[in-house]
Amino acid sequence: MAVGGWVPPIRCGHAGQESSAALDALRLGLGAMEKGDYESALGHYGFALESSGSDEIRFQAYLGMGSAHAASDRLDDAAAAYRAALEIRPDHAAALYSLGLVTKDQGRYEEAAQLFASAAVRDPQLGAALVELGIVYEHLGRHEDAVDVCRRAVTMLEDDEAPLLCVGVATYHMGLYSEALAVFETVVENNPG
């Protein structure tokens, strides 16, 4: 799950075959991300990229760089890093989702919709991609599509109020005020704060 645009890199599966220095740099980058030290993280991920001999390490380094840039609000750099990761693994759901978050923040809603839809197809359990897709559909005025994907997300993310809010906003914009009111009341009941 993203925290401030940051998606933690996925651990490497072939650790015995990778450069120890590159793997150590990835670990240090992840540690720096967790501490909020994004500049250090970028340095570690850059070193991992330079010292890597495999596509997996390069993929992880680019994914980490994208996360660090996104967390630092350098969206163009984040998008470039995520695109580089996707050149290595074009069907990676978390990378598609992360690039979708960046393009959404850049206001490129059509592209973000395609990325979130692709992420949801690649990982059917990634309910957050459906929520973000619904939000982007709202920005595009595609309220019925937003309701559809957010209702699917509600069933996947039962304890999360984001998909419910998405349904509420979309039904409100469709003029279905009583349905929107019922959804908003449910959100308030679940989280009075």
Side-chain angles (χ1 to χ4, degrees):
M1 192 58 89
V3 176
W6 172 58
V7 176
I10 296 167
R11 304 270 189 247
C12 302
H14 302 25
Q17 301 171 358
E18 304 298 347
S19 160
S20 177
L23 283 173
D24 287 344
L26 287 177
R27 286 186 200 99
L28 290 169
L30 180 59
M33 287 296 295
E34 290 172 346
K35 293 177 186 172
D37 187 356
Y38 308 127
E39 293 306 313
S40 287
L42 282 168
H44 294 303
Y45 291 134
F47 178 81
L49 185 63
E50 291 170 9
S51 61
S52 169
S54 77
D55 282 346
E56 182 61 22
I57 293 288
R58 282 191 292 276
F59 170 78
Q60 295 296 334
Y62 281 127
L63 193 61
M65 292 171 87
S67 297
H69 284 305
S72 300
D73 211 24
R74 291 190 294 263
L75 301 181
D76 290 340
D77 293 333
Y82 288 135
R83 283 190 175 87
L86 286 165
E87 285 180 20
I88 298 167
R89 292 180 62 188
D91 291 338
H92 193 272
L96 290 163
Y97 174 77
S98 297
L99 181 55
L101 290 174
V102 169
T103 57
K104 180 186 92 170
D105 288 347
Q106 291 175 317
R108 296 184 354 237
Y109 301 124
E110 289 289 346
E111 182 180 352
Q114 292 171 358
L115 290 161
F116 291 134
S118 293
V121 167
R122 302 302 186 282
D123 182 356
Q125 301 304 311
L126 189 58
L130 293 175
V131 174
E132 292 296 336
L133 181 58
I135 291 168
V136 168
Y137 281 161
E138 274 299 293
H139 284 288
L140 294 170
R142 296 173 57 182
H143 309 302
E144 290 179 22
D145 292 331
V147 169
D148 289 342
V149 296
C150 288
R151 281 189 177 141
R152 285 185 12 222
V154 166
T155 63
M156 296 172 67
L157 306 170
E158 294 174 5
D159 295 331
D160 191 342
E161 60 199 34
L164 277 174
L165 287 171
C166 181
V167 170
V169 170
T171 53
Y172 174 83
H173 285 136
M174 291 172 63
L176 303 172
Y177 302 120
S178 60
E179 185 176 342
L181 180 61
V183 171
F184 291 138
E185 286 174 344
T186 300
V187 171
V188 172
E189 286 173 21
N190 292 344
N191 185 356

